Amino acid sequence: MTVIALPRVRRRAPVALGACLLSFAAFWWAQRAAHVSMIDLMVYRAEGETVRAGGDLYALRTTEAHLPTTYPPFAALLFTPLTLLDTSTMRTLATAGNLALLVVFVTLSLRLVDHARVEGVWWASAAAVWCEPVWTTVRYGQINLLLGVLVLWDLTRRPGHRWAGVGIGLAAAIKLTPALFAVFLLVTGVVAYARRGPGGPWLRHVRGSAVAFAGATLLAACALPYDSWRFWSRMVFETGRVGLVEDTANQSLRGVLARLLHTTQPGLWWVATAAVAGSLGLGVAVAAELRGRRAWAVAACAVTALLISPVSWSHHWVWCVPMVLILGTRGRAAAVGAAQVTAARTALVTASGTSLVFCSYALWWVPHGPGRLELRQTGAQLTLSALYEGAGLVFLTLIGVRLWRTYRTV
């Protein structure tokens, strides 16, 4: 009998798929054993019920924690189908949906760096599911992976695609933070045009984002005129409704400064820091995009948005997944050339360190909870509760240095 050897890729893919399914099954069991509440999912359902009942969306207080509505009205419209499901079914579908979205998120992240091999997607998904932002996203029944998929789906389209901008526009209509990606595209197009280059592709992309955002927002305004007026005229400015700024879970620069300065109002310190970080981070993203480094640009923009947002809960940092994948694949690619061994080692070490940060759950090792314990953290505790911001700043610095070195060699 003649035995035909299967190609290595075809032999490795089933093994990787099996490992991923096993990891997901263990994750599912661990979530159930931890009796996760999916509290944010319950808020989403309450928003949908309020819309159907014609109630006051932004007067809503629900769950034992009396959580409010914080997203734009368009999000509440999308949550109305949740009211058709019983709680058990809704939680099961939310968990399965988030795991499926994680696989898509990993696929699109690897596509950014041209490494979207099937077995790579399964292995990366099997590991990524255990990082703290993903764990917490599923634990709360959050929508972070959905927003990430919308943005990456948009930014991995070919130039000039007729749907360009739709993903970013819809994501921004659901939650405002992704709007920074539209700003990034706008600045890139303007800079390219100022240099007498072809700024059109980026500007058309922005136009698509604006049309999608406006369409979704106007749809919500037609269906929920009072709630839309109230949100865009008042609630959008009341960032304190989201939660305590000094909370350990708040992994933005504002949260770090609140804990560092032992105050609930970092005020001008945060404004100045966010302005500097936003300008530099956006500058790095634009420079990377103009030099054909779309993966670096996208990740840099995402990290910048997380740093400068008034509140970036730890589960918002699901963007650590493309961060690690970009660093890891960049390190392996650079290792091909002997002259780039140092750069490859730096990238791989940074990828390993970043993975450790987001898989350590270290921010929960410090005092937190009722009583505003975060305002009395020691130096070591402050360091642990600022690890995500530190990882983000290191990531931006690394990209900036690489771009500067590339520019010097041109």
Side-chain angles (χ1 to χ4, degrees), residues 23-39 91 94-96 98-99 129-142 361:
S23 179
F24 281 9
F27 177 89
W28 195 303
W29 176 86
Q31 288 262 320
R32 293 298 172 265
H35 301 291
V36 296
S37 64
M38 292 198 168
I39 190 170
R91 288 175 172 173
T95 301
N98 265 321
L99 292 177
V129 74
W130 295 100
C131 71
E132 190 274 339
V134 173
W135 169 276
T136 310
T137 287
V138 182
R139 172 190 174 189
Y140 292 152
Q142 262 283 344
Y361 295 69

Side-chain angles (χ1 to χ4, degrees), residues 310-333:
V311 175
S312 293
W313 301 126
S314 67
H315 50 78
H316 294 168
W317 282 82
V318 292
W319 286 95
C320 69
V321 174
M323 284 169 60
V324 172
L325 293 176
I326 288 168
L327 289 169
T329 54
R330 197 258 175 261
R332 287 195 296 272

Side-chain angles (χ1 to χ4, degrees), residues 248-315:
T248 295
N250 183 12
Q251 292 294 299
S252 70
L253 289 173
R254 187 168 178 241
V256 170
L257 288 171
R259 293 187 291 270
L260 179 64
L261 300 175
H262 306 293
T263 177
T264 60
Q265 297 295 332
L268 291 177
W269 285 104
W270 169 64
V271 173
T273 303
V276 172
S279 300
L280 293 177
L282 198 58
V284 168
V286 170
E289 176 72 7
L290 289 174
R291 295 180 193 177
R293 305 284 189 172
R294 169 59 65 91
W296 292 8
V298 172
C301 184
V303 169
T304 301
L306 291 168
L307 289 174
I308 67 175
S309 175
V311 175
S312 293
W313 301 126
S314 67
H315 50 78

